[in-house]
């Protein structure tokens, strides 16, 4: 069996045929890898992740998943579509897109019931996830009554419960407090250790090392300008700086405010 999960070749994509969002993108992802995608706002990260999830298709070039080209006709094939949706799970950057049931509990149960997973299995996984993510006291609430961080945790639970072979996460720790971020990273690392492929976009350089075997850096031109091991990418101060990824810290010293970049 081939180990290739995704193989994108020379992909170009523009929204409505005019707002360019991916340019000449090549990316190859193998089973069990941890991949991260970093870059400034608007550099194409979400677009790439949506394409890997089969929500949009290239204008030029090809994306293959598990050896088959991802195109509209592949998703018209019900067997392929169902199998793909079971294998690949996406946590959207905006949790409001993902949550639509009257209660948090129903939202988390929705996907696995839809996919025909066994009730007993769902229940077991549900208990684990709500404990890890601390969602126990939110289960009867309406998702729209939650804070953004709480919504994000529910969205993560509703994807992880399906136990997809490939987890795609679009800025999963944005807006989360440090302890919750820690729990989520631990969870992702654990999912990867059990064989799942994880693909994460983020701005949070603190988490990059743990969630990446390979980091792809997108530029404002919607191109991948660099790919490499996290140790190498995170040392490249000039690359991070031109791509808006350096934190600028301000602190007060002898009554004056000093501003300087913060390196990792
Ligand atoms: N629905 C859309 N319609 C038109 N342009 C869009 C849409 N979504 C994103 N874009 C544009 O595509 C480019 C890439 O966006 P996106 O993939 O969301 O970037 P990122 O996730 O890196 O912030 C940006 O220039 C953005 O303005
Ligand atoms: Mg995005």
């Amino acid at each position: 069996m081939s180990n290739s999960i995704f193989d994108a070749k020379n992909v170009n994509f523009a929204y409505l045929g005019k707002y360019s969002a991916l340019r000449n993108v090549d990316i190859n992802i193998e089973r069990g890898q941890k991949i991260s995608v970093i870059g400034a706002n608007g550099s194409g990260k979400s677009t790439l992740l949506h394409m890997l999830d089969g929500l949009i298709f290239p204008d030029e070039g090809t994306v293959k998943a598990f050896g088959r080209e991802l195109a509209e006709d592949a998703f018209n094939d019900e067997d392929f579509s169902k199998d793909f949706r079971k294998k690949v799970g996406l946590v959207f950057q905006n949790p409001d897109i993902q949550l639509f049931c009257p209660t948090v509990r129903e939202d988390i149960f929705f996907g696995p019931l839809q996919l025909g997973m066994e009730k007993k299995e769902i229940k077991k996984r549900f208990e684990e996830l709500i404990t890890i993510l601390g969602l126990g006291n939110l289960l009867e609430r309406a998702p729209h009554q939650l804070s953004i961080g709480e919504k994000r945790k529910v969205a993560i639970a509703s994807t992880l419960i399906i136990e997809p072979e490939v987890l795609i996460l679009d800025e999963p720790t944005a807006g989360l407090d440090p302890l919750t971020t820690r729990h989520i990273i631990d969870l992702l690392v654990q999912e990867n250790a059990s064989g799942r492929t994880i693909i994460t976009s983020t701005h949070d350089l603190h988490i990059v090392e743990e969630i990446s075997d390979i980091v792809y850096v997108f530029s404002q031109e919607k191109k991948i300008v660099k790919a490499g091991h996290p140790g190498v990418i995170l040392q490249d101060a000039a690359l991070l700086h031109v791509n808006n990824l350096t934190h600028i810290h301000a602190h007060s010293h002898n009554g004056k405010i000093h501003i300087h970049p913060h390196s990792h």
Side-chain angles (χ1 to χ4, degrees):
M1 190 168 59
S2 155
N3 271 331
S4 176
I5 299 276
F6 289 114
D7 187 16
K9 284 212 170 70
N10 199 23
V11 168
N12 284 274
F13 178 81
Y15 289 94
L16 307 170
K18 56 181 172 180
Y19 303 112
S20 188
L22 292 174
R23 287 201 174 109
N24 307 332
V25 167
D26 285 303
I27 191 164
N28 199 305
I29 299 175
E30 305 221 324
R31 197 175 303 275
Q33 278 188 317
K34 291 182 286 186
I35 300 294
S36 69
V37 179
I38 64 175
N41 290 326
S43 58
K45 303 182 296 298
S46 295
T47 304
L48 174 69
L49 299 190
H50 291 180
M51 197 171 271
L52 297 181
D53 195 45
L55 300 176
I56 52 174
F57 305 104
D59 294 333
E60 282 171 47
T62 54
V63 178
K64 283 188 181 167
F66 312 102
R68 175 153 179 188
E69 185 172 344
L70 291 185
E72 236 150 338
D73 66 344
F75 286 91
N76 291 334
D77 172 350
E78 209 169 299
D79 289 341
F80 174 82
S81 179
K82 195 163 177 198
D83 184 56
F84 184 85
R85 295 286 162 228
K86 175 82 187 76
K87 279 185 180 156
V88 180
L90 168 69
V91 178
F92 284 85
Q93 180 173 357
N94 176 0
D96 288 328
I97 295 178
Q98 210 172 328
L99 307 174
F100 48 81
C101 291
T103 66
V104 166
R105 180 192 298 278
E106 288 165 280
D107 246 321
I108 301 174
F109 271 90
F110 181 84
L113 288 176
Q114 196 74 7
L115 289 166
M117 287 170 67
E118 210 186 306
K119 282 235 171 72
K120 209 170 125 200
E121 189 53 36
I122 303 175
K123 195 95 184 67
K124 178 166 162 272
R125 185 85 173 141
F126 178 83
E127 298 298 338
E128 282 170 11
L129 285 167
I130 61 166
T131 305
I132 296 169
L133 294 167
L135 292 171
N137 57 355
L138 300 177
L139 296 175
E140 310 313 328
R141 298 261 292 273
H144 68 86
Q145 292 168 332
L146 304 178
S147 76
I148 178 88
E150 291 168 337
K151 286 179 186 174
R152 200 176 293 290
K153 289 198 284 183
V154 177
I156 289 172
S158 69
T159 301
L160 288 187
I161 196 166
I162 295 165
E163 304 200 283
E165 197 178 312
V166 182
L167 275 166
I168 304 178
L169 305 113
D170 201 351
E171 301 200 24
T173 60
L176 296 184
D177 61 60
L179 187 61
T180 308
T181 298
R182 187 70 255 152
H183 288 319
I184 292 190
I185 298 308
D186 288 345
L187 187 59
L188 296 182
V189 169
Q190 188 189 319
E191 294 291 323
N192 175 253
S194 72
R196 296 182 213 293
T197 309
I198 57 171
I199 305 166
T200 318
S201 83
T202 187
H203 289 136
D204 189 352
L205 297 184
H206 292 101
I207 69 172
V208 166
E209 184 111 44
E210 284 181 276
I211 54 159
S212 321
D213 298 317
I214 300 176
V215 186
Y216 288 87
V217 184
F218 269 88
S219 72
Q220 319 248 20
E221 288 73 44
K222 284 84 174 166
K223 287 182 175 171
I224 292 172
V225 282
K226 191 124 188 178
H229 294 287
V232 176
I233 301 286
L234 293 173
Q235 291 300 318
D236 194 337
L239 174 76
L240 298 176
H241 186 69
V242 296
N243 288 294
N244 289 9
L245 291 163
T246 314
H247 282 269
I248 307 293
H249 279 237
H251 66 98
S252 152
H253 184 62
N254 288 341
K256 281 194 176 154
I257 302 289
H258 291 259
I259 295 176
H260 63 87
H262 170 75
S263 57
H264 284 262

